[in-house]
Amino acid sequence: MSKFSPAVFTICFILGCGCSVIENSHRQKEPMMAAFAAGDNEAVSAELADQLEAPGIFTASVINTGDELHWQLEAGSFAFHTGNFEAALMHLTRAETLIADYDERARISLRDIGANAGMLLTNLNTLPYRGFCRDRMMLQIYKSLVYLSLGREDAFRAQLRRLRMAQKQIQDDFREFFESESAAIEAAKREHPQAASRAAESDSAEKLTADSDNAEFAAGLSDLHQVAHRGYGNFLNPAALFLSALGSLRDGNPENARIDLQRLYEAMPDNPLAQAYFATILDLTGRPRPAELQNVESFKFPLDRDCVYILFANGRSGAFRQISAYFPVMIAWPVCEFYPAPFRSLTVESQNFRTRTHLLADMDAIIAQEFEERLPLMITRIILSTAIKEAGKYAAAYAVYRENELAGAFVYAGVALYTAAVNTADTRSWEILPKEIQLAQLPMPDDRKISLTFDPGTSFPLELPENCRSAIIYVSAPSPQNVAIHILPLTTR
């Protein structure tokens, strides 16, 4: 029995890490995301239920594995899309708990040592998925909207107050992540000096793209740079800045709103909506406009009350797919994949007002910029892990070969099959997110009737409930075949 224990241990370890150790996450989600685009929400719901069912011997549950977080996030945003707001809050709260658990662990703990050792045996999927900075901010945005959907306006406003602190916390979290990743890599280099020396030959994007065999990797890197260039820096999400400003305005704190709207303008100075908001808040707070905003038309109605705010979640977020690169052995790599927007904008009409939505947050640019920042450490870690596994493969086979040539050959073949099986890129991400968030604002119409027209596409007439003084209309449109519109009433002003 004892001679089988290493194999048994390895199998159990892999199963405990989640299915993405063997099959990359993006490929696992392809049928679900195709169903989502086609409007087959029942199929999406069934897949999420399978993944998040109670753990058991004959289930495919990801509960209590390193993959649970990204599936909880998928379930939360999907439940919000379909209007199941109680379920959305449950999944998002569970995701928030998992993130807090990961963050509170000591940098050096038994669990983290095990995960880092597992990465050297398998791949980065053995490390728990802790969420991109983008994920952490979108989780807070969704939670605020879910509270409003449930009629909990006080909780909605409290959540908006947290958005500003959340932005700072996310920057601190990334700095800690960067420091801990760097420390883990340096420790592995000290423990495996020969593998580290070999890895140094290819441990940068420049070295990898110089190899003609890595044309696909180079093309993916070029696409990444183009999209990341549109990002906002410091992991900013302009949608969070707008909502934080809205909360401050509704709380009667225009100075805090001015700070948020100034940051919004600085993040996207050429955006006409950001210009109009910043010009309006400067006028409201009695501050002079900069020269470049002198001719910008401000809003002609109060921003904080008797208004309708259209948040248009357009298309499907960028994700990660697996490609092959060479070191010179073949290695599975993640690269960004982006999807076309199904619509250009929304036209919004009321009895005496007409406007259209403008870009508020380029979600593709946000994830691309963050991925680009993570890439140097990721390359070093993947190359080093591969070098360690290759060295281990030859060392194990040679040790047996010295005793028995045939047994050595079998060991080499077995280890080669194993390393091929776990040669899987970490493509885990939150995929049920929009490609972009657009925004429009208009005064509440007297007859409470609004029409939304997709460009290109059809029109949807809406009538706002009598009990709302203002309202957020959230339009979720991952595709023309799957459009959901939610009216979230604001009853206080």
Side-chain angles (χ1 to χ4, degrees):
M1 183 71 177
S2 61
K3 65 181 180 179
F4 296 110
S5 58
V8 173
F9 168 78
T10 301
I11 292 170
C12 292
F13 180 84
I14 290 173
L15 292 176
C17 292
C19 294
S20 58
V21 173
I22 301 298
E23 181 181 14
N24 81 77
S25 174
H26 181 62
R27 187 176 299 162
Q28 290 177 39
K29 290 179 179 177
E30 278 182 344
M32 181 183 77
M33 295 307 296
F36 188 50
D40 187 356
N41 289 334
E42 289 186 5
V44 179
S45 182
E47 175 63 16
L48 291 169
D50 285 346
Q51 295 291 336
L52 295 171
E53 65 181 325
I57 296 175
F58 300 105
T59 70
S61 175
V62 297
I63 299 296
N64 299 325
T65 75
D67 286 349
E68 181 182 354
L69 173 58
H70 64 93
W71 284 103
Q72 292 287 1
L73 292 170
E74 304 286 19
S77 54
F78 175 73
F80 184 79
H81 172 80
T82 57
N84 190 348
F85 303 124
E86 291 283 1
L89 183 59
M90 178 189 71
H91 290 298
L92 295 172
T93 301
R94 171 60 179 166
E96 196 170 38
T97 300
L98 287 169
I99 289 173
D101 178 50
Y102 295 144
D103 289 347
E104 289 170 6
R105 292 180 188 178
R107 289 186 183 177
I108 301 176
S109 68
L110 289 177
R111 293 169 74 180
D112 284 337
I113 288 171
N116 279 280
M119 182 276 294
L120 299 179
L121 287 170
T122 54
N123 54 57
L124 288 173
N125 291 281
T126 60
L127 297 173
Y129 180 78
R130 301 190 177 202
F132 285 86
C133 297
R134 173 208 64 171
D135 300 357
R136 295 176 178 220
M137 185 53 73
M138 282 304 298
L139 191 158
Q140 299 303 321
I141 290 173
Y142 271 118
K143 277 195 73 177
S144 68
L145 297 174
V146 166
Y147 283 134
L148 188 58
S149 306
L150 294 170
R152 298 169 59 181
E153 192 169 338
D154 287 347
F156 164 72
R157 290 170 68 173
Q159 186 70 22
L160 294 188
R161 294 185 202 107
R162 297 188 190 105
L163 285 179
R164 180 178 295 173
M165 291 301 298
Q167 186 71 62
K168 174 67 167 60
Q169 183 61 48
I170 284 168
Q171 294 175 22
D172 293 342
D173 291 342
F174 183 79
R175 186 178 63 254
E176 291 181 4
F177 158 80
F178 188 91
E179 291 172 353
S180 63
E181 280 288 282
S182 299
I185 289 170
E186 291 306 312
K189 287 180 177 179
R190 289 192 298 270
E191 188 174 350
H192 304 275
Q194 290 184 333
S197 177
R198 185 174 180 227
E201 299 172 5
S202 303
D203 63 351
S204 71
E206 293 76 13
K207 293 175 184 177
L208 287 169
T209 53
D211 188 335
S212 60
D213 289 335
N214 290 330
E216 189 176 13
F217 175 82
L221 201 61
S222 176
D223 292 343
L224 175 70
H225 289 326
Q226 290 182 27
V227 178
H229 182 71
R230 306 197 305 257
Y232 311 104
N234 293 321
F235 312 110
L236 282 178
N237 186 320
L241 292 175
F242 168 75
L243 287 170
S244 176
L246 175 61
S248 293
L249 284 170
R250 292 181 64 83
D251 284 342
N253 194 336
E255 280 300 326
N256 277 352
R258 180 189 60 79
I259 294 170
D260 284 327
L261 293 177
Q262 180 173 340
R263 295 178 71 197
L264 179 67
Y265 170 66
E266 289 170 349
M268 42 204 318
D270 297 325
N271 184 290
L273 201 61
Q275 294 173 353
Y277 275 117
F278 190 40
T280 302
I281 198 68
L282 287 174
D283 294 346
L284 179 66
T285 56
R287 292 173 179 266
R289 295 188 183 191
E292 66 271 17
L293 295 182
Q294 289 298 320
N295 297 321
V296 171
E297 186 175 357
S298 61
F299 288 92
K300 302 304 182 186
F301 51 86
L303 299 179
D304 61 335
R305 61 186 182 274
D306 302 316
C307 282
V308 180
Y309 312 89
I310 312 293
L311 287 175
F312 177 29
N314 184 25
R316 174 185 170 184
S317 171
F320 304 107
R321 64 183 174 90
Q322 179 173 302
I323 65 167
S324 298
Y326 296 87
F327 161 59
V329 298
M330 191 278 283
I331 312 171
W333 288 91
V335 294
C336 284
E337 181 168 67
F338 305 105
Y339 304 91
F343 305 104
R344 286 184 287 272
S345 64
L346 273 177
T347 298
V348 186
E349 294 182 88
S350 66
Q351 60 188 140
N352 53 12
F353 200 93
R354 188 175 190 273
T355 187
R356 69 179 181 89
T357 56
H358 291 272
L359 181 67
L360 175 62
D362 185 334
M363 297 292 291
D364 281 354
I366 291 171
I367 190 60
Q369 190 172 73
E370 181 174 354
F371 187 72
E372 190 173 59
E373 290 203 30
R374 291 175 181 252
L375 192 60
L377 279 179
M378 189 184 305
I379 288 174
T380 301
R381 183 158 232 203
I382 293 173
I383 294 287
L384 180 59
S385 171
T386 302
I388 292 170
K389 284 182 289 198
E390 285 295 299
K393 177 172 68 177
Y394 288 108
Y398 181 69
V400 177
Y401 180 83
R402 290 173 61 185
E403 301 295 328
N404 185 303
E405 293 184 7
L406 183 60
F410 275 112
V411 167
Y412 181 83
V415 174
L417 287 173
Y418 169 77
T419 54
V422 298
N423 188 12
T424 307
D426 186 0
T427 59
R428 294 174 295 180
S429 71
W430 188 0
E431 297 195 23
I432 301 180
L433 283 177
K435 178 183 182 67
E436 62 185 18
I437 299 174
Q438 298 185 23
L439 172 67
Q441 182 171 349
L442 67 157
M444 175 67 74
D446 293 335
D447 63 359
R448 314 186 82 76
K449 293 181 180 179
I450 286 177
S451 174
L452 303 178
T453 303
F454 289 86
D455 178 17
T458 57
S459 296
F460 290 83
L462 303 175
E463 186 163 354
L464 304 178
E466 289 293 332
N467 69 324
C468 64
R469 296 279 303 276
S470 296
I472 293 176
I473 299 178
Y474 189 88
V475 182
S476 179
S479 71
Q481 292 75 36
N482 197 355
V483 173
I485 301 173
H486 303 303
I487 300 174
L488 316 180
L490 290 156
T491 60
T492 55
R493 53 192 301 191

